[in-house]
Amino acid sequence: MARRSKDWEQGLAQDLFLDEEGRKQFFLSLIDEGYQWREALLKVIKVIGVNEYATLTDGMKASNLLNQLKPDANITLNTLAKLTAPLGIEVTFKEKIDKAS
């Protein structure tokens, strides 16, 4: 696999930091590729930078950001909302309809 230049990576990080729609599309493309939501969100955060992403959340500290995405973390809906807000994504739940009925 060809290595990307540092300039390219910095450019992507800056573009995603500045563009909410770009962050959302990047996240959703990772989901489409089969990433679990935690893995996809972690990838977005790492591309942008933990400190930079923390500035986009509603008061979340950078030191807590990665801890919330560990597989064994007991994340609250409020925290999940803070983590996904910079993506322009709202987390909702809906009733599953049994199609067998």
Side-chain angles (χ1 to χ4, degrees), residues 20-37 40-41 44 87-90:
E20 181 181 283
E21 183 64 25
R23 289 189 297 270
K24 177 170 63 173
Q25 293 306 318
F26 184 51
F27 174 78
L28 293 176
S29 70
L30 292 169
I31 297 295
D32 286 344
E33 289 180 21
Y35 283 81
Q36 297 296 316
W37 71 267
L41 185 53
V44 172
L87 302 174
I89 292 175
E90 182 179 295

Side-chain angles (χ1 to χ4, degrees), residues 65-84:
L65 204 82
L66 297 180
N67 288 333
Q68 296 300 320
L69 294 174
K70 290 181 180 178
D72 60 345
N74 189 11
I75 192 168
T76 66
L77 187 55
N78 185 45
T79 299
L80 185 56
K82 285 181 180 183
L83 286 169
T84 58

